[in-house]
Structures are given as structure tokens and as C-alpha cells.
Amino acid sequence: MMALWAASAGTTQAASYTLPVQVDYRLIKNALLTQLYKGEGHTAEVWKDKKGCSYLTLANPQVSGEHAQIKLVNQLQAQFGTKFGGQCVTLFKWQGVLHTLQQPTVNAAQSVLSLPITQITAIDDNGRAVGNDKLQDLLKRFVEPQLSDVKIDLNASRADIDKTISGFLPKENAAEVTAILNTLKFSSAKANDTGVAINLAFDATEKVLAKTASAPLSAAEQKQWQARWQEWEQLFSKAIQKASNDTQSPELRDTLTEILLESRRAMQAGLKADNAKGEDPVRVFFIQTWERLAPQLKVLAQQLPELQGLRYMTFIAATDVLYALESQGTPLGLSISSEGLRRLARMLIEGKQAKLANSPKPK
């Protein structure tokens, strides 16, 4: 979608933006599996003594919402034993279910979302609360800290997001994109019935779009644009294949491939012709495509590791609010239109030419 946006700014002023992101509980579960439940069959050995005869293991986490908190239900197994004659002798064995309530919490720097425990209850298979003092102590010392330590850290993904976005924008916008991402933060997080409602905030210079015409591309410009588009198309094709592999979904691959082909046609129409008397092909493509693509991306996001899934959800949220931002003036002066696409194309062509001109000449 970055290829639809171009800078054409008039007046500027500082502005703050908020992107609402609904993080599904399946994505929270993926965070747990990635960070804590690394054992076979998605188990987490949260404690084990040096002799190997005593342990505390969590398994099969189930995540839902309850009373505006995250409810986590685990199978819990505990064993206490000692070495005798070179063999482990079991002194106490317990199994049941561990219930925790965890409050989504944003740190003071607003860069990390963590899940500290507010309530913990262990119940055996007969429905009785745990009465063993040593087991209760181990739950307090080892289970609570490790479950509370599961988090989503924006600092871990800023550089990756910056690198991805910068590849699709003119070089002169690179510093501005980096500056925007450096202000990206969690402004709030609240659990609900289906997931965690997160507000991502960022600061940017608001640019009011200049109402200036941009002529259709010439034949020479078309040729240069096609060369750049082919580079992007190869990257998009690889990304489509990876998304299909990640989800084991041929349907997703087919949908994304079809959208890629449609984008080529829409962009060519927007670059070549003056559409003042009819519907803008770039804008029509964006509206129609997003209605098909957003549900697919949401399904994909819920099946990926937490940071990768959060990037998808953030992209979805950003696109959902793009029109609202555009109508008021936007960061980078983004415009979803044939006019905006032509300006972007010319800036990218100029950037490519400048790069070639400054490249060392072969001897």
C-alpha cells in the first residue's frame, strides 16, 4: 500500500495521532508460546531442582477475557522428590489447573506492554484449592514472575519497521519516517471479551496536501517506473509466498496474488491517464481491495509470533484510519490518488537517477 502514497505538502504543523489496534487473544497466546512455553507439546518448565527429582510444569495455556483482565488457564503438574540410591523417590505429586488474571500494563516509557498477575488460583482435579505450602511458595516465587514477564516490546521492532517502510518511500522521507517511529508508543491497553484493545500513539508533522495537478507520466517515465515496479513485484511475490506458508493457506496466496495483479492495472491506469471526469482508479482500487484484504490479514496476524502479528495488526489499523487522517492533512502528506501516485513515481525515479549518477563508474 505504500506505493499509493506520495508527499506533496503545503503548510505543516505538529500533530499527534492514535491508531487503535485490537490484539486478539490468539495473538496473546502466541506471545506466551514464543516466550515461555518452549517445551515439547507447548509446555513450560518453570522450576526444576538441581537433582532433577522435583519440578513445576505448565501446559496447554488457554487465553480469554474476564472482568477487563486477561484470564489464563493452564494445566499444572508439580512433583517433589529426593535422590535415594541414585534414583528419584517421589515424596509429593500434584496435578490440576492454574487460573490467573493478568492486567495489561504499559510501562512508564510506554514502549512495553506486560501482563502482571493480579490473581492466582490452583485447583486440583477434584476442584479443591491447593493446600501444600511448598507448592504455594513455588507458585509465588517462580510461576508468577515468569507469567508476568511475558511482554510485547516496541523497541524490538522499530528498526525492522523502519527498514521495511523506508524501502517504499522516497529517500527524502527516510529521516521523517525514522523520527515518527521513534515516537511510536503504547498510549493505553485494556482487555475485553475478544482481546486487548491497544492504542498506539505517534507524533508527526502534519502536512496539508497541496492542490496541484500532476500530469500523466511520459513514455520515458513509464519505462523507468516499470523497472522500479518490477523490483517491488518480486519482493511482494516472495512476501505472498511466505504469508501462504505461514498460514498453510492456498486461498490467502490466491487472494494476495490476485490483488497484486489488480494493483498493477490500477496503478498503470492512474499513471497514464487524466481521470478528472471519472472515478480515480487508484482510490477505487484501494477501497475495494481493503475490504477483501483486511479480514485475510487479521486471520494471518492471529497465527503469527507476537511481534510479527502485531506488525500486521498495526498495519491494518493504520490503513483503517488512513482516510480520516488524509482528510485533515497527514504525516508525510500522504495521498491515496492517481495524483499522489504520479508524484511518488517521479520522486522515486529522480532518486534512482541520483543514486546511479553518484555510483562509482566501472573502470
Side-chain angles (χ1 to χ4, degrees), residues 102-136:
Q102 300 179 231
Q103 184 69 56
T105 302
V106 177
N107 70 342
Q110 295 183 282
S111 60
V112 178
L113 174 64
S114 59
L115 309 174
I117 290 176
T118 62
Q119 181 179 316
I120 183 168
T121 307
I123 300 173
D124 67 18
D125 292 338
N126 295 315
R128 296 172 299 194
V130 62
N132 184 281
D133 291 340
K134 186 172 183 179
L135 178 54
Q136 288 180 328

Side-chain angles (χ1 to χ4, degrees), residues 37-80:
Y37 294 77
K38 300 178 181 179
E40 185 177 353
H42 298 313
T43 58
E45 191 172 71
V46 293
W47 172 76
K48 188 174 184 178
D49 72 350
K50 294 180 180 179
K51 297 178 181 179
C53 297
S54 302
Y55 61 83
L56 199 62
T57 302
L58 300 176
N60 192 29
Q62 301 299 314
V63 188
S64 60
E66 184 176 293
H67 305 312
Q69 297 189 71
I70 296 174
K71 180 181 179 180
L72 181 61
V73 179
N74 278 279
Q75 294 176 356
L76 173 64
Q77 288 189 333
Q79 177 175 298
F80 304 134

Side-chain angles (χ1 to χ4, degrees), residues 317-337:
T319 309
D320 280 340
V321 302
L322 188 56
Y323 280 123
L325 294 178
E326 184 192 30
S327 66
Q328 302 166 14
T330 63
L332 305 179
L334 303 180
S335 171
I336 304 174
S337 66

